[in-house]
Amino acid sequence: MKAVLPTLRLLRTTPFRLALLYLGLFVISVGVILGVVYRSTAGFLEEEIGATIALEVAGLQDQYRSAGLRGLVDSVRERSGYSHTNSIYLLTTPGGVILAGNLSGWPDATAGPGGWTHFKISDYGGVNNRPSTAMAVSFVLPGQFRLLVGRDMSELDQLRGRMVVSLRWVFLVTVVLGLGGGLLLARGAMHRIEAINRTTHRIMAGDLSGRVPRGGGGDEIDRLAGNLNAMLDQIERLMTGMRQVTESVAHDLRTPLSRLRARVELALIRETDDPEVYRAVLQDTILEADRLLATFTALLSIAEAESGANRKGLEPVRLADVVRLAADLYEPVAEEKGLTLITDIRAEPTVRGNEQLLAQAVSNLLDNAIKYTPEGGRITLLLEGVGPGQSARITVADNGPGIPADMREKVLERFVRLDAARASPGNGLGLSLVEAVARLHDASLRLEDNEPGLKVGIVFPPDAG
Amino acid sequence: MKVLVIEDDQQAASYLAKGLKEAGHVVDAANDGKEGLFLAGSEHYDVMIVDRMLPGRDGLSLVEILRATGNDTPVLFLSALGSVDDRVKGLKAGGDDYLTKPFAFSELLARIEVLVRRRSAAQPQTRLAVADLELDLLSRTVRRAGKSIDLLPREFALLEYLMRNAGSVVTRTMMLENVWDYHFDPQTNVIDVHIARLRQKIDKDFPTPLIHTVRGAGYSLRAPQ
């Protein structure tokens, strides 16, 4: 049962149906070709026989003309005297008395066009008494003498028979090979599609790590597998990100919330008459709530950028405007901290994007650079236009402590902060947002060593304009 | 000021009404879109606070109808829908400002005050003055007590915004939205640095300060009492 079912399923597959259709066309073509071969071969042999008979007739005619009836009788006798001859002769008087020849009587068969007749030799005790057919032509000589010259067709019949048999075999083998080949082809394609089905089933069952195997040939199925895998990578990354976020949100928000709660509870327990104490507690509570809200807002911005729903709302954005505005906003902040912010706009590229999110990304990068660069440092905000593999690039470089190479992937994750003590302000969402914004714009985020310091580049793809 | 609050959440509505009354405003409240539309059409209000998601009729279409019937009372949308798209939709429907829940009450008060002020001073101005501080929009010059003050373009824009809303509280978010067109909150309080610089130029060399910090809310530019 188990072996039958897959076969039955195979018969219902599209590749097999296509193979079957192809086979049908192929078999019809082969049939037509074989028919033509048969007709032309058999026809050619029949013509050959006709020509031989005509030659013999011509010879006998010569004989009759030169030696009269007597000579003709001798000649026919002589010729039909050979044993194992394929030729058939019969010469009779007007009354039907046999004068010479190797047939026992005049065939009944009526002559066709041109005097040709076909008959069975065995019925007339012909040559070698073979049960084969013959083909003959008959003439009426002067004086109502009748002459029949023909040829045993058994060899041709045999050949025809053999040809039919072998053509039948050729036909059968064609069908079998075609069917087998079709099944094999269908099975090959089915195996790969089945592999895709198995993987998707496994993934639906919850195992997101499964990937579709690739043949490496680069055909449609391979490309389909490649696309599926890319889609799965994306889904897995989003799922992992979501799990991480849920965990991080739970963890990172619990601490400030418990702090908040404890502070309010303590204020209630103390029961003081001093309204200043309550005022201070409430003010701290609002500050803490604002920080929590800011974290939520940042998470929402990331979600907004990541959902891709914004993709339809993308419109041409002049990056130079975005960069100038951010530089304008942050220059005094950098100066306040004793840093130099250098803005270098080398081109005026336009990309399709969401201006607010891009502005937020650049702001976050500047914010980070200002936060982590020590006094006296130098921050460069650079905008470049078209270059190899890019339509535009925004770079923020500082000469602060930088990020160790092995940590650069890690800092893009939500709530991850290198400052283990969490002494510096912030929620660890800044770079995550930048990455989400970059991805929304199909841009890549590059974290590089500025030797010393960190260099973050948002590189827009060549077709981002 | 007479304020109409259209908000279906009872708790939020009474919190709004209480806060607005304490700030000295007269408040009417409607619990759904239909009632809100009726009140807005039958009485005169200085400003309306409209929730986006309402039973009966949603806030967007309510404001669209009001605008279509020639009612130009300033409208502030107060909504939990806070993405850039949502804000754009609200402003396109005829809203004058958009505030996202959860919000700080001081922010709401500052915004409605500025809304009303903007409506009353709609005629084009070329010159703004507060006490002895003058700002000329045509020559783009600033003078205080007759003394010329050099400002960078963005400082000029910031001062212009503060002067247009002189006497009112202007929050950091309002400045980011109106001067920089930033509809998100940068992580650092960048506005404070800009105000500090502006103060250096406007107030430092003069006996009476004009830029005042309003604790927990923002800043206010006003003439000394």
Side-chain angles (χ1 to χ4, degrees):
Chain A
M1 216 30 207
K2 270 200 167 162
V4 176
L5 270 179
T7 320
L8 277 179
R9 203 156 18 137
L10 183 63
L11 297 185
R12 285 202 308 267
T13 61
T14 310
F16 183 72
R17 282 185 190 164
L18 279 176
L20 214 61
L21 183 72
Y22 180 72
L23 175 70
L25 286 172
F26 187 61
V27 161
I28 291 170
S29 318
V30 166
V32 168
I33 291 168
L34 290 182
V36 168
V37 166
Y38 175 79
R39 296 281 309 189
S40 57
T41 311
F44 172 74
L45 287 173
E46 208 160 304
E47 264 171 43
E48 282 281 274
I49 290 168
T52 313
I53 294 171
L55 269 175
E56 276 200 77
V57 169
L60 289 174
Q61 264 172 348
D62 276 354
Q63 197 67 28
Y64 178 69
R65 242 178 266 129
S66 58
L69 191 61
R70 186 79 250 155
L72 184 64
V73 170
D74 285 346
S75 190
V76 168
R77 242 182 225 150
E78 188 196 341
R79 287 189 186 191
S80 55
Y82 300 128
S83 57
H84 304 300
T85 180
N86 279 335
S87 300
I88 293 161
Y89 308 94
L90 190 65
L91 183 61
T92 61
T93 60
V97 181
I98 294 169
L99 296 175
N102 47 14
L103 277 187
S104 57
W106 199 263
D108 292 332
T110 45
W116 290 96
T117 51
H118 290 260
F119 56 92
K120 270 203 155 141
I121 298 173
S122 51
D123 297 343
Y124 305 99
V127 200
N128 308 323
N129 280 337
R130 281 186 297 226
S132 51
T133 51
M135 181 176 129
V137 64
S138 52
F139 306 91
V140 179
L141 302 172
Q144 293 300 304
F145 288 96
R146 289 206 296 174
L147 174 65
L148 181 140
V149 180
R151 210 155 166 90
D152 183 352
M153 300 251 289
S154 59
E155 274 178 4
L156 181 62
D157 282 345
Q158 264 173 28
L159 189 77
R160 268 191 185 136
R162 222 174 286 149
M163 244 175 98
V164 167
V165 169
S166 52
L167 290 185
R168 216 180 269 152
W169 273 110
V170 167
F171 195 75
L172 202 72
V173 166
T174 306
V175 170
V176 168
L177 280 183
L179 205 65
L183 271 171
L184 272 177
L185 275 176
R187 234 170 59 144
M190 272 309 292
H191 265 306
R192 299 172 61 190
I193 291 171
E194 267 307 312
I196 293 176
N197 279 336
R198 267 200 307 279
T199 312
T200 46
H201 273 295
R202 220 169 70 216
I203 288 157
M204 279 190 277
D207 174 18
L208 265 181
S209 66
R211 289 295 177 273
V212 181
R214 297 184 65 173
D219 60 359
E220 298 79 5
I221 296 185
D222 252 15
R223 283 211 303 279
L224 174 69
N227 286 340
L228 273 174
N229 285 345
M231 190 178 81
L232 289 170
D233 287 343
Q234 171 93 351
I235 292 174
E236 193 182 15
R237 212 185 45 243
L238 287 176
M239 292 282 285
T240 315
M242 209 151 79
R243 202 175 308 129
Q244 246 170 34
V245 167
T246 318
E247 281 163 15
S248 307
V249 165
H251 180 264
D252 270 62
L253 296 185
R254 209 153 70 174
T255 315
L257 279 172
S258 359
R259 231 177 16 229
L260 204 124
R261 194 190 177 285
R263 193 176 295 139
V264 174
E265 196 180 11
L266 263 176
L268 281 177
I269 289 171
R270 273 194 213 129
E271 278 205 36
T272 163
D273 286 333
D274 185 359
E276 273 310 308
V277 172
Y278 290 115
R279 190 186 299 278
V281 167
L282 285 176
Q283 274 168 357
D284 283 350
T285 306
I286 286 180
L287 275 182
E288 196 84 61
D290 280 349
R291 265 201 293 276
L292 283 168
L293 286 173
T295 303
F296 273 116
T297 309
L299 280 173
L300 280 173
S301 300
I302 296 174
E304 199 182 336
E306 258 177 4
S307 72
N310 276 300
R311 214 175 274 270
K312 61 180 188 299
L314 299 187
E315 41 194 44
V317 177
R318 288 155 49 89
L319 287 180
D321 291 349
V322 172
V323 166
R324 272 194 206 105
L325 209 57
D328 182 88
L329 189 63
Y330 277 92
E331 212 175 75
V333 184
E335 207 170 294
E336 185 97 327
K337 240 200 109 182
L339 305 168
T340 322
L341 174 62
I342 298 156
T343 313
D344 184 359
I345 295 173
R346 295 188 188 163
E348 301 266 337
T350 302
V351 299
R352 282 193 69 74
N354 180 317
E355 189 163 11
Q356 286 294 323
L357 284 172
L358 284 170
Q360 201 169 356
V362 176
S363 294
N364 279 6
L365 289 179
L366 286 176
D367 210 274
N368 269 351
I370 290 170
K371 207 187 294 172
Y372 295 111
T373 310
E375 206 179 322
R378 178 191 156 96
I379 297 162
T380 316
L381 172 60
L382 172 67
L383 172 64
E384 291 161 296
V386 182
Q390 69 181 48
S391 64
R393 179 183 168 126
I394 300 173
T395 312
V396 175
D398 62 54
N399 57 0
I403 297 178
D406 55 328
M407 290 298 287
R408 283 183 201 144
E409 276 286 308
K410 188 103 179 105
V411 292
L412 298 180
E413 288 174 17
R414 264 156 267 199
F415 292 107
V416 169
R417 296 164 68 184
L418 290 184
D419 175 10
R422 313 213 156 187
S424 54
N427 47 29
L429 292 171
L431 274 178
S432 308
L433 176 80
V434 177
E435 206 218 359
V437 171
R439 201 177 306 129
L440 175 72
H441 293 85
D442 287 325
S444 58
L445 188 63
R446 301 209 184 133
L447 271 63
E448 290 155 10
D449 200 344
N450 197 32
E451 294 169 349
L454 179 67
K455 193 160 95 177
V456 187
I458 303 175
V459 184
F460 293 87
D463 55 352
Chain B
M1 274 197 296
K2 204 170 169 195
V3 186
L4 174 62
V5 175
I6 309 176
E7 163 72 71
D8 61 315
D9 179 11
Q10 287 295 342
Q11 216 177 327
S14 66
Y15 163 64
L16 275 171
K18 190 164 178 279
L20 288 168
K21 275 175 191 156
E22 269 169 22
H25 302 300
V26 178
V27 184
D28 277 351
N31 292 325
D32 61 55
K34 274 187 200 153
E35 194 189 340
L37 195 59
F38 173 75
L39 280 175
S42 49
E43 289 203 42
H44 173 80
Y45 292 97
D46 295 304
V47 66
M48 288 188 276
I49 299 171
V50 183
D51 189 12
R52 281 265 318 254
M53 287 176 292
L54 289 168
R57 174 175 293 289
D58 73 284
L60 278 186
S61 73
L62 187 148
V63 173
E64 274 168 353
I65 288 176
L66 283 181
R67 293 293 182 252
T69 54
N71 186 324
D72 63 349
T73 309
V75 166
L76 178 131
F77 275 116
L78 188 60
S79 172
L81 305 170
S83 74
V84 177
D85 280 354
D86 292 323
R87 287 159 172 269
V88 169
K89 252 186 228 158
L91 298 178
K92 270 194 184 150
D96 299 272
D97 201 353
Y98 201 107
L99 189 58
T100 311
K101 290 180 189 173
F103 60 96
F105 208 85
S106 51
E107 181 83 37
L108 179 79
L109 283 178
R111 281 177 188 263
I112 58 170
E113 206 172 312
V114 164
L115 272 186
V116 174
R117 180 176 301 268
R118 189 169 72 198
R119 194 50 60 104
S120 60
Q123 66 271 31
Q125 282 173 292
T126 58
R127 201 180 145 275
L128 300 165
V130 174
D132 53 353
L133 178 67
E134 295 166 53
L135 184 142
D136 191 322
L137 288 162
L138 294 178
S139 60
R140 301 196 72 76
T141 52
V142 176
R143 302 172 81 81
R144 182 159 183 198
K147 222 170 112 185
S148 170
I149 297 171
D150 270 339
L151 291 183
L152 294 170
R154 194 62 60 181
E155 290 166 346
F156 187 90
L158 184 57
L159 182 63
E160 184 192 332
Y161 184 67
L162 284 170
M163 287 184 81
R164 279 191 189 280
N165 298 295
S168 304
V169 177
V170 175
T171 66
R172 294 174 179 84
T173 318
M174 285 158 78
M175 287 183 250
L176 277 167
E177 282 179 8
N178 291 289
V179 180
W180 278 272
D181 197 27
Y182 269 24
H183 297 272
F184 59 89
D185 270 325
Q187 293 184 30
T188 321
N189 254 338
V190 285
I191 289 298
D192 294 343
V193 180
H194 283 270
I195 291 287
R197 297 199 141 202
L198 194 58
R199 266 185 172 149
Q200 280 282 318
K201 296 186 175 175
I202 302 296
D203 282 345
K204 198 178 168 245
D205 302 329
F206 302 92
T208 46
L210 296 177
I211 300 174
H212 302 270
T213 306
V214 182
R215 257 188 68 179
Y219 297 93
S220 176
L221 187 137
R222 60 174 183 262
Q225 244 87 87

